Amino acid sequence: EVQLVESGGGLVQPGRSLRLSCTASGFTFGDYAMNWVRQAPGKGLEWVGFIRSKTYGGTTEYAASVKGRFTISRDDSKSVAYLQMNSLKTEDTAMYYCAREQGMYYDIFTGLMVDPNFFDNWGQGTLVTVSS
Amino acid sequence: QSALTQPASVSGSPGQSITISCTGTSSDVGGYNYVSWYQQHPGKAPKLMIYDVTNRPSGVSHRFSGSKSGNTASLTISGLQAEDEADYYCSSYTSSSTRVVFGGGTKLTVL
């Protein structure tokens, strides 16, 4: 059974840092890209960023709202993805979910290697509250 | 304001069909077949219901179907059941710097 378990959330002051972890089990972690998606209280979903599998370079991409402040990394030997959050703002207050994405594939229509752009398994989330 | 536009709420009676729309632009919904739909019950994690506009993951009921016309994607749920009451979010790849955008979510009420 696929399981994703987030940890590391809590109360943090504006301007401080926090690191979230997403521990995976039940599948070959290294074969998948890992995403972070957040949801502010009572609000909708917002994609935060992702890291591709090392097969595809382990490259990262981020939403404009967090670029330069957040960093995603992975340790395939431990089946863990991380979200390092620096210079936190009150508007970063949210439930943070990690979500699995399958690896890139060859799109016969475009002739390109593409990311699937959908998330087939999600963790239960960890709550981050940024407040003084 | 979300990048994709969904109705705030829809409702239907058990056994009926409902459709939730998701409107974007040619830079996202209209330009790519990378639309997905997620179901979220209160206090729970989202669950993938539809991917690549029309595809259902293994284990998702055949009552859920997806489609797209121009810049608008749609999720249709037929034979409504009480357990379908939840929030539904659409998502799309976007050629903007954000890569993936979500709709604001639609609350489905089963009367």
Side-chain angles (χ1 to χ4, degrees):
Chain A
E1 179 194 6
V2 173
Q3 276 201 315
L4 298 171
V5 179
E6 301 91 340
S7 59
L11 175 63
V12 61
Q13 293 179 327
R16 305 296 290 263
S17 299
L18 200 63
R19 188 179 80 160
L20 307 183
S21 299
C22 170
T23 303
S25 60
F27 64 99
T28 303
F29 181 76
D31 289 347
Y32 291 81
M34 296 303 298
N35 290 260
W36 288 92
V37 178
R38 68 184 180 183
Q39 186 171 34
K43 302 296 185 182
L45 301 172
E46 179 188 15
W47 181 77
V48 172
F50 90 133
I51 184 166
R52 292 185 176 91
S53 70
K54 286 191 166 52
T55 301
Y56 300 105
T59 50
T60 55
E61 294 185 26
Y62 301 93
S65 57
V66 306
K67 199 168 186 178
R69 298 189 299 124
F70 290 12
T71 302
I72 299 173
S73 61
R74 63 189 299 154
D75 184 338
D76 291 352
S77 68
K78 297 180 180 178
S79 297
V80 180
Y82 300 101
L83 177 63
Q84 177 68 44
M85 304 184 292
N86 298 331
S87 303
L88 281 161
K89 306 175 182 180
T90 56
E91 52 263 42
D92 295 319
T93 293
M95 182 72 78
Y96 283 74
Y97 297 99
C98 65
R100 189 183 81 165
E101 180 178 0
Q102 296 184 13
M104 300 183 82
Y105 66 95
Y106 180 74
D107 185 327
I108 61 172
F109 297 104
T110 64
L112 300 172
M113 292 296 290
V114 297
D115 299 298
N117 296 298
F118 63 88
F119 316 131
D120 62 3
N121 280 274
W122 298 60
Q124 288 303 305
T126 186
L127 182 62
V128 173
T129 303
V130 184
S131 174
S132 54
Chain B
Q1 188 171 354
S2 301
L4 305 180
T5 301
Q6 299 180 232
S9 62
V10 298
S11 62
S13 299
Q16 288 186 331
S17 294
I18 63 94
T19 296
I20 299 172
S21 62
C22 170
T23 302
T25 69
S26 58
S27 295
D28 38 65
V29 174
Y32 309 90
N33 289 323
Y34 297 136
V35 176
S36 51
W37 290 88
Y38 300 89
Q39 176 193 65
Q40 186 179 36
H41 287 108
K44 300 296 187 181
K47 175 187 176 183
L48 178 67
M49 304 303 285
I50 296 287
Y51 67 95
D52 293 354
V53 180
T54 61
N55 295 329
R56 259 187 323 271
S58 173
V60 172
S61 170
H62 285 71
R63 299 185 296 107
F64 291 82
S65 62
S67 62
K68 189 184 84 167
S69 177
N71 293 338
T72 298
S74 298
L75 173 70
T76 298
I77 308 174
S78 59
L80 268 181
Q81 299 180 0
E83 68 221 42
D84 299 332
E85 187 163 290
D87 293 326
Y88 291 85
Y89 293 90
C90 63
S91 173
S92 174
Y93 169 81
T94 172
S95 56
S96 76
S97 59
T98 305
R99 181 194 174 232
V100 171
V101 290
F102 286 94
T106 298
K107 182 176 180 57
L108 169 62
T109 300
V110 180
L111 303 170

